Amino acid sequence: MIQLFNVTKSYGKENVALREMTVHIEKGEFTYVTGPSGAGKTTFLNMLYGACKPTRGQILINGINITRMSGRQIPYLRRKIGVVFQDYKLLNSRSVYENVAFALEAQGKKRYEVSKRVYKALKEVGLEHRLQRKPIELSGGEQQRIAIARALVVEPLILLADEPSGNLDQEVTLEIMELFKRANARGTTVLLATHDHSLYKRFPKRVLGLEDGRLIMDHQP
Amino acid sequence: MLDNISYFIRRALRNMRQWPVLCSAAILTMAVALATMATFFLVVINIQGLATSWSEEVQVVAYFQYPPAGNQLAPLIRKVEAFADVKQAIYITKTEALKRFEARLGDDAGLLEGVSRDLLPASLEISLKSGSHNREGVARVVAELKKDSRFDDLRFGQEWLERFENFVDLLKFVGLVLGSFFLLAALFIVSNTIKLTLYARRDELEIMALVGATKRFIQIPFLLEGALQGLASGVCALGFLTLAYKLLLQKSLQTFWLTPVGFDPIFLNGNQQLILVLCGILLGSLGSLVSLRKFVRL
């Protein structure tokens, strides 16, 4: 599903974010990407959804070389990938419903289909009773669940989560992990970047360890 | 297709409702820019209108050494009126010339008492066709008249005409320079205002790109929004201009001492009003497009 071959990403001569990274992730796998701050976790995820291109090396997703994709093709790649961030990236001027619907509207889906799927996604994350509220009126955990609903509503092949529990307490983190596990059980490949050791001890899955831009560990439970 | 169009319109309107302050700021900025340019245009066309009506006063007066005999006058007038640049030739007798002079002297007309009634020469007052109220037209008529020995003297205000033409040229040049300056300033201010409004909404643009919206999908609602704001600003500018014209320009032009009697101040005609509103739409769309290129990067 995801293949990286000798991928290097540098910003200028001095600042190398990823070094010669080669890794294969199978379809339907749940993988943690771990490492201290500045290890290259975010750069790794960013490259998978086309937010930046590697300086050297190739990345294949579903057999397609995304490093050769033009700017016009990137939106179509992103439609297959759901992304969840630590800071949620929600529109506070829009309702919960509109935030989730945004992802489907961007793909040109019909109105009735949008409303059906948005309701289903919000029910999945337990927010179907908060449809018309603004994200800012909700708790951090609920905001992150909106972001997860937005990522899942498009039924992505891959779900990327960058420190999704960074701002949340233990109890909410566990609820969120359950959502990721359920998505994974439906066949979505999940990559979760975190520096929280307790997470992968509690939910043991494959772990890719990064340090200073290098892949230093690839551990299967 | 229809679904998409209605979605884009809905989103453009929703965006405007959600950001009323930014939306009003953009509309006001564009309205002020358009109104400034349109006011300037209005002033220029009115001054040019004034100048044209002044130029209609340009005529050639040909004085006779001896008044023509009765049977020679009609053929002479016909001959002069046959010149390409001449609209009309009117014969002024000696008596009539003296009457006019008396009228001009007003209260001092008594000075002419006892003066011979044939003191002043008879003349032909030759008015010119509309395209000939210039130095070249006058020169052609004068050249033809000089060939006729019956005319003793020719008066055509050459110096005044030269000054007048220089004034009109200056007016056109100042109009062009100031007009270009206003246009550039308006474009600069409008594009920066729209840039600011988009900057305030950069999160929205970022998230749209993140969830797989194409560049076109992101840009069209913003372009529509720009066009709608431009339409509103065009209408506002037209309203402002109508008020300014009715309250200020029309009155001041009518009371201007150099305004000829019967000169009607000019307002924008239907096409020009339409062009003003279309300029608003174009300004809003172009301003959005230029700014979007900076913010929407996939």
Side-chain angles (χ1 to χ4, degrees):
Chain A
M1 168 61 79
I2 300 171
Q3 296 166 292
L4 274 78
F5 298 99
N6 302 316
V7 170
T8 296
K9 176 68 186 174
S10 56
Y11 301 96
K13 279 185 183 172
E14 302 294 316
N15 189 359
V16 183
L18 274 186
R19 297 166 199 268
E20 299 289 327
M21 189 167 169
T22 297
V23 70
H24 293 195
I25 296 165
E26 296 300 325
K27 187 174 186 296
E29 243 189 305
F30 193 120
T31 309
Y32 292 103
V33 183
T34 69
S37 292
K41 304 188 293 289
T42 299
T43 302
F44 174 45
L45 295 191
N46 281 351
M47 284 196 296
L48 296 182
Y49 71 91
C52 61
K53 284 194 171 184
T55 311
R56 281 194 304 276
Q58 310 295 325
I59 301 173
L60 272 66
I61 291 183
N62 237 1
I64 298 165
N65 190 341
I66 67 162
T67 49
R68 290 188 190 159
M69 272 187 174
S70 67
R72 280 168 183 264
Q73 293 170 303
I74 294 291
Y76 300 98
L77 165 75
R78 289 182 184 168
R79 291 176 187 189
K80 295 177 191 152
I81 299 174
V83 192
V84 177
F85 297 91
Q86 183 177 355
D87 59 354
Y88 325 130
K89 291 203 189 295
L90 298 171
L91 295 171
N92 288 321
S93 57
R94 304 274 173 93
S95 67
V96 169
Y97 175 90
E98 287 172 327
N99 266 281
V100 179
F102 211 47
L104 291 171
E105 286 168 352
Q107 296 189 8
K109 300 285 183 219
K110 302 251 186 262
R111 272 173 103 175
Y112 70 89
E113 191 186 347
V114 171
S115 57
K116 206 168 78 181
R117 283 173 67 174
V118 170
Y119 185 78
K120 192 178 155 203
L122 284 171
K123 197 170 178 191
E124 173 82 23
V125 299
L127 286 175
E128 74 278 16
H129 56 294
R130 304 269 205 214
L131 287 175
Q132 297 311 321
R133 300 287 290 274
K134 297 274 160 63
I136 201 132
E137 299 164 5
L138 306 178
S139 69
E142 286 173 317
Q143 290 189 42
Q144 192 57 295
R145 282 192 277 158
I146 304 170
I148 293 170
R150 185 182 63 196
L152 293 178
V153 76
V154 295
E155 294 168 2
L157 296 175
I158 301 168
L159 180 64
L160 305 175
D162 191 1
E163 303 277 7
S165 58
N167 291 335
L168 308 173
D169 60 34
Q170 193 64 26
E171 197 184 332
V172 179
T173 301
L174 295 181
E175 285 171 21
I176 293 221
M177 282 305 291
E178 278 305 321
L179 296 175
F180 289 139
K181 276 170 64 185
R182 267 191 266 163
N184 182 236
R186 287 195 298 269
T188 303
T189 307
V190 179
L191 265 90
L192 195 154
T194 182
H195 59 265
D196 182 355
H197 299 270
S198 66
L199 267 186
Y200 46 87
K201 280 180 185 152
R202 191 162 187 143
F203 304 100
K205 298 283 180 187
R206 182 182 178 189
V207 179
L208 300 175
L210 297 179
E211 196 176 290
D212 196 23
R214 290 178 207 282
L215 181 65
I216 54 159
M217 177 183 71
D218 187 348
H219 172 72
Q220 289 280 5
Chain B
M1 184 69 180
L2 276 176
D3 267 3
N4 272 350
I5 293 170
S6 89
Y7 172 75
F8 289 142
I9 294 173
R10 272 202 325 273
R11 256 205 41 217
L13 292 173
R14 190 173 59 189
N15 283 348
M16 288 167 77
R17 274 202 308 274
Q18 275 182 343
W19 299 88
V21 177
L22 289 178
C23 177
S24 313
I27 291 175
L28 270 179
T29 313
M30 283 193 281
V32 169
L34 284 171
T36 310
M37 280 180 55
T39 307
F40 179 72
F41 175 73
L42 200 58
V43 169
V44 168
I45 58 170
N46 270 288
I47 293 180
Q48 280 188 339
L50 262 183
T52 308
S53 60
W54 289 332
S55 74
E56 277 161 14
E57 309 282 319
V58 171
Q59 61 176 8
V60 178
V61 183
Y63 294 98
F64 293 102
Q65 193 171 9
Y66 305 105
N71 60 345
Q72 287 176 1
L73 184 63
L76 180 62
I77 289 177
R78 274 202 299 279
K79 179 187 159 193
V80 172
E81 282 182 341
F83 296 166
D85 299 289
V86 173
K87 188 166 90 180
Q88 197 181 23
I90 299 170
Y91 178 63
I92 308 293
T93 61
K94 287 180 171 196
T95 321
E96 208 173 332
L98 193 69
K99 265 188 202 161
R100 280 189 188 181
F101 190 42
E102 276 172 352
R104 254 186 228 180
L105 284 175
D107 293 342
D108 298 324
L111 291 172
L112 295 174
E113 270 173 29
V115 170
S116 162
R117 301 309 289 172
D118 61 356
L119 173 74
L120 297 176
S123 62
L124 264 188
E125 281 183 1
I126 302 160
S127 54
L128 306 181
K129 285 181 181 164
S130 60
S132 304
H133 291 120
N134 49 37
R135 261 181 287 185
E136 292 77 22
V138 171
R140 281 194 296 271
V141 173
V142 168
E144 289 292 331
L145 293 173
K146 275 185 176 169
K147 290 176 191 165
D148 195 321
S149 59
R150 284 171 288 185
F151 298 117
D152 181 37
D153 192 12
L154 297 168
R155 292 289 163 97
F156 46 90
Q158 183 71 13
E159 198 183 331
W160 181 87
L161 200 61
E162 276 176 22
R163 275 197 211 157
F164 173 74
E165 287 191 5
N166 288 340
F167 168 71
V168 173
D169 285 346
L170 182 71
L171 192 72
K172 281 181 185 164
F173 177 72
V174 171
L176 192 72
V177 171
L178 280 181
S180 313
F181 173 75
F182 279 142
L183 184 73
L184 285 178
L187 275 177
F188 180 74
I189 293 168
V190 167
S191 107
N192 275 305
T193 308
I194 294 176
K195 234 178 243 173
L196 278 178
T197 65
L198 288 179
Y199 183 74
R201 290 156 67 179
R202 62 195 184 284
D203 286 351
E204 190 177 329
L205 295 170
E206 185 193 346
I207 293 168
M208 286 175 92
L210 188 73
V211 296
T214 57
K215 214 169 185 172
R216 201 176 55 178
F217 188 88
I218 300 171
Q219 287 181 339
I220 288 175
F222 281 96
L223 279 179
L224 261 178
E225 199 182 323
L228 285 173
Q229 288 173 347
L231 173 71
S233 65
V235 173
C236 284
L238 192 59
F240 169 80
L241 202 63
T242 311
L243 272 181
Y245 174 76
K246 297 264 184 221
L247 299 177
L248 297 171
L249 197 66
Q250 198 174 26
K251 279 185 187 162
S252 59
L253 265 174
Q254 276 169 345
T255 52
F256 185 46
W257 64 280
L258 275 175
T259 306
V261 181
F263 174 75
D264 261 340
I266 310 161
F267 190 64
L268 304 181
N269 62 32
N271 280 344
Q272 286 164 339
Q273 291 179 27
L274 189 69
I275 287 172
L276 177 67
V277 176
L278 286 177
C279 278
I281 295 174
L282 197 70
L283 199 62
S285 317
L286 278 181
S288 294
L289 189 69
V290 170
S291 312
L292 276 167
R293 288 164 74 98
K294 186 177 157 65
F295 284 105
V296 183
R297 287 188 182 142
L298 295 176

